[in-house]
Amino acid sequence: MATTSLHLQCYGVNAKPNLPPLTLAQRTNLFINNHETASSLKVTCKSSSDVLEKHVTENGRNVTSEDENRKSYTCVMKFGGSSVASAERIMEVATLVTSFPQEIPIVVLSAMGKTTNKLLLAGEKAVSCGVTNVSCIEELSFIKDLHLRTVDQLGVDRSVIEKHLEELELLLNGIAMMKELTKRTQDYLVSFGECMSTRIFAAYLNKLDVKARQYDAFEIGFITTDDFTNADILEATYPAVAKRLHGDWLSDPAIAIVTGFLGKARKSCAVTTLGRGGSDLTATTIGKALGLPEIQVWKDVDGVLTCDPNIYPKAEPVPFLTFDEAAELAYFGAQVLHPQSMRPAREGDIPVRVKNSYNPKAPGTLITKERDMSKAILTSIVLKRNVTMLDIVSTRMLGQYGFLAKVFSIFEDLGISVDVVATSEVSVSLTLDPSKLWSRELIQQASELDHVVEELEKIAVVNLLQNRSIISLIGNVQQSSLILEKAFCVLRRLGVTVQMISQGASKVNISLVVNDSEADECVRTLHEAFFETELELQKDYTNGNGSVAKSS
Ligand SMILES: Nc1ncnc2c1ncn2[C@@H]1O[C@H](COP(=O)(O)OP(=O)(O)O)[C@@H](O)[C@H]1O
Ligand SMILES: N[C@@H](CC(=O)OP(=O)(O)O)C(=O)O
């Protein structure tokens, strides 16, 4: 009775059986309006089956177990580390998950708070600290304390995570013994974070009589490449995940709690990770696999913002974005979304809603295939720091085509990812993605970069420029002249020289390269110009009737 009662409560209290299916916006409003009521009713229902019975009949129908079986999951809700950082936060998230009317979520969780960073640090320390000192690694103690304190505060049995904590210490002992931390071991090491957070959360929901089932992504069909620390999800994942989650639902309905960030390598079968922030990608992959109507990504900010709030606190939420804008924004460094996470959502045409778990009433950002761009100028400003730039001027040994082909084949051979490119007939300037380089441990070793330069110098004169930043202006490139006019006006006022400019074929992004030391100031001033003097901007750039003048 206990577990059935939750489902009855969810549908019974909030169901509107005679109404047509709700749109996404309606569902969100319904959630906002009913949020407090729903959570308080939930408590009442849990304690009394009579009250539950009453709610069900008041809504005009009885919900049978047959009804339950016909339904399946209706959305993915992903909660990042900041949303599940403590017992208190986990309780809030549990309320959110169970309060959504008409939703049967698949919940994707990241590791608690900064657990992934702590695990990585613990691994690094284990390499050199010696086996006898592993138990004294500060980060290991922190992780143990955090997780044990959390289960105690939630009233969940410690056995839920004790085995993992023991194994984690054994693994660190192994690393200390081998004095080596390979990428493969590193992925296994960080997987403990998500494995524990999901077990705690599922156990807590079950304690609340909300039937939940924990899943390790690497056990349910998340098949990836063997690129440890930055693995790609393979196509086989979609049918496998759908089969497992849907099949389990049909045989025994329960909210699914899935580890974000993790997969299983196709060749080696070892645990992989999808790159930092990869839980967003887990969520969109599940959304596409099951063809769900919505993917929700819950963060600690009111949606995707007009710029990084750490650079400029006056950043404002962006209400609507296209998949292309969101992908570009993420790729060019907005930490809020994983760079690859928009791909499955775009392919499945599934709307992604970015919400704030600390402020659920805020509308957040809705990301869809298309949006009304008629009034859009600039959507967001993104900064990527610590970029290496190369100016490569041909010695004319090769023809123009041969030159460009050779330049890019050198990068391909060395496995280096190029971000922004600008070319002329005899030269090419480009930037190298710092995160990709780090994950391949290339840039840390100056010799590797020297090797790139050495190779390029066989066909060109090369100038290596470090400590640069890419400022990406994400917006309506139909309005590129307006954007550039305004941007260059601001940069000239600041006395900043733009060292490279590129407008991608994506039609949503203009990238400017400046010195690292000037970048923050540029972003702040650009933000003021584009987002805080909107009326002035409208006046300057509209054709008098309020609509933006069309560029030819
Ligand atoms: N344009 C942006 N919009 C929103 N947040 C941003 C942006 N750029 C950077 N951020 C940072 O991203 C953080 C949210 O992303 P993340 O830490 O991955 O969240 P979570 O761990 O909850 O998934 C915010 O706290 C914010 O500091
Ligand atoms: N825990 C992983 C995966 C993740 O997605 O985290 P978050 O959702 O907190 O960014 C990381 O820190 O990278």
Side-chain angles (χ1 to χ4, degrees), residues 78-82 110-111 113 116-117 194 261 275-280 299:
K78 179 261 169 171
F79 294 90
S82 55
S110 300
T116 308
N117 287 351
E194 273 71 12
F261 185 44
R276 295 306 304 270
S279 303
D280 295 340
K299 303 268 168 184

Side-chain angles (χ1 to χ4, degrees), residues 78-84 110-111 113-114 276-280 297-311 315-318 329 333-338 354-355 357-358 365 380-383:
K78 179 261 169 171
F79 294 90
S82 55
S83 300
V84 291
S110 300
K114 301 278 176 221
R276 295 306 304 270
S279 303
D280 295 340
V297 180
W298 292 78
K299 303 268 168 184
D300 60 352
V301 279
D302 282 349
V304 177
L305 306 179
T306 45
C307 75
D308 183 343
N310 301 304
I311 299 174
E316 289 281 325
V318 180
L329 202 132
Q335 199 205 329
V336 66
L337 289 169
H338 182 276
V354 183
K355 296 272 294 175
S357 70
Y358 289 75
T365 300
S380 190
I381 304 169
V382 184
L383 176 61

Side-chain angles (χ1 to χ4, degrees), residues 214-226:
Q214 190 275 350
Y215 292 96
D216 290 326
F218 48 84
E219 299 291 0
I220 61 164
F222 271 83
I223 325 276
T224 71
T225 57
D226 286 57

